[in-house]
Amino acid sequence: GIQVEQSPPDLILQEGANSTLRCNFSDSVNNLQWFHQNPWGQLINLFYIPSGTKQNGRLSATTVATERYSLLYISSSQTTDSGVYFCAVDRTGANNLFFGTGTRLTVIP
Amino acid sequence: DAGVIQSPRHEVTEMGQEVTLRCKPISGHDYLFWYRQTMMRGLELLIYFNNNVPIDDSGMPEDRFSAKMPNASFSTLKIQPSEPRDSAVYFCASSLAGQRGDYGYTFGSGTRLTVV
């Protein structure tokens, strides 16, 4: 099956710092999404981004499908950004998402 | 829309008992997914439905697990008999296919199951 690797596994930032999270995948995909799981366990959809670049406030994401990776940028981090960030991919076109192991982000004041 | 609604939020049960988890998807969404999250295995897809029909149940761990979707607004995941290794957070998600762009993939708040 497809492999999804995320790095780094853990990241600690001072509030206000910027960060880049990476997702590598082993095969071509037609769906890639980024999710944030907050400390209370809620999973929030951040981006649908099988290719190209999108921005939403302090967050932006870029997927280079030909090179099989995606990046999530967090600028001016805030404590509310803490949690686990997951990359998830689908090859079938049926929204059957396969999740990576996540990056745990801790933003300290 | 109230989002994807799961119940109960927490469930503690004794080994051997039957457990039923419930999910109400977002109105109009035609895909429904059941996921399980554990520390050891992360987030794994158990089963998904399209238009109330089960499409792929290859992630269901064993015959003790079953899922149904009797109509577009309700699904259940049943474990019978439950075992301690079934302890996990179970998530339901729904999405809308057939359009390019954001599929509106939305998760419920999850059910934390503890089997003692």
Side-chain angles (χ1 to χ4, degrees), chain B residues 42-113:
Chain B
L43 267 162
E44 49 183 347
L45 178 68
L46 300 178
I47 184 172
Y48 74 96
F49 297 82
N50 177 219
N51 292 321
N52 313 337
V53 176
I55 302 301
D56 185 352
D57 65 355
S58 59
M60 296 285 261
E62 47 197 276
D63 292 345
R64 298 184 297 106
F65 286 69
S66 62
K68 295 182 179 180
M69 192 165 186
N71 57 61
S73 59
F74 184 65
S75 177
T76 59
L77 178 68
K78 186 176 293 187
I79 308 172
Q80 166 62 20
S82 58
E83 297 182 3
R85 59 189 168 128
D86 302 331
S87 297
V89 180
Y90 291 82
F91 287 99
C92 175
S94 70
S95 73
L96 180 64
Q99 55 179 308
R100 301 195 66 79
D102 188 355
Y103 288 86
Y105 212 102
T106 306
F107 278 83
S109 298
T111 294
R112 181 174 295 277
L113 173 65

Side-chain angles (χ1 to χ4, degrees), chain B residues 5 9-10 29 37-38 54-55 58 61 78 80 92-93 101 105 108 116:
Chain B
I5 300 172
R9 289 296 308 274
H10 302 273
H29 279 189
Q37 186 176 33
T38 61
I55 302 301
S58 59
K78 186 176 293 187
Q80 166 62 20
C92 175
Y105 212 102
V116 298

Side-chain angles (χ1 to χ4, degrees), chain A residues 15-90:
Chain A
E15 196 168 28
N18 303 327
S19 64
T20 301
L21 282 57
R22 187 177 179 101
C23 171
N24 293 331
F25 43 96
S26 60
D27 207 340
S28 59
V29 298
N30 55 24
N31 183 353
L32 186 146
Q33 301 194 38
W34 283 95
F35 292 86
H36 174 222
Q37 187 168 36
N38 66 24
W40 296 270
Q42 181 68 40
L43 280 153
I44 306 298
N45 192 338
L46 298 176
F47 292 104
Y48 164 81
I49 187 162
S51 63
T53 297
K54 288 186 177 179
Q55 180 155 5
N56 183 2
R58 297 182 295 103
L59 302 182
S60 64
T62 295
T63 298
V64 183
T66 54
E67 297 187 21
R68 299 179 184 170
Y69 73 88
S70 182
L71 303 174
L72 178 68
Y73 305 96
I74 304 174
S75 64
S76 303
S77 58
Q78 300 176 0
T79 55
T80 52
D81 296 330
S82 295
V84 182
Y85 289 81
F86 290 101
C87 168
V89 302
D90 169 37

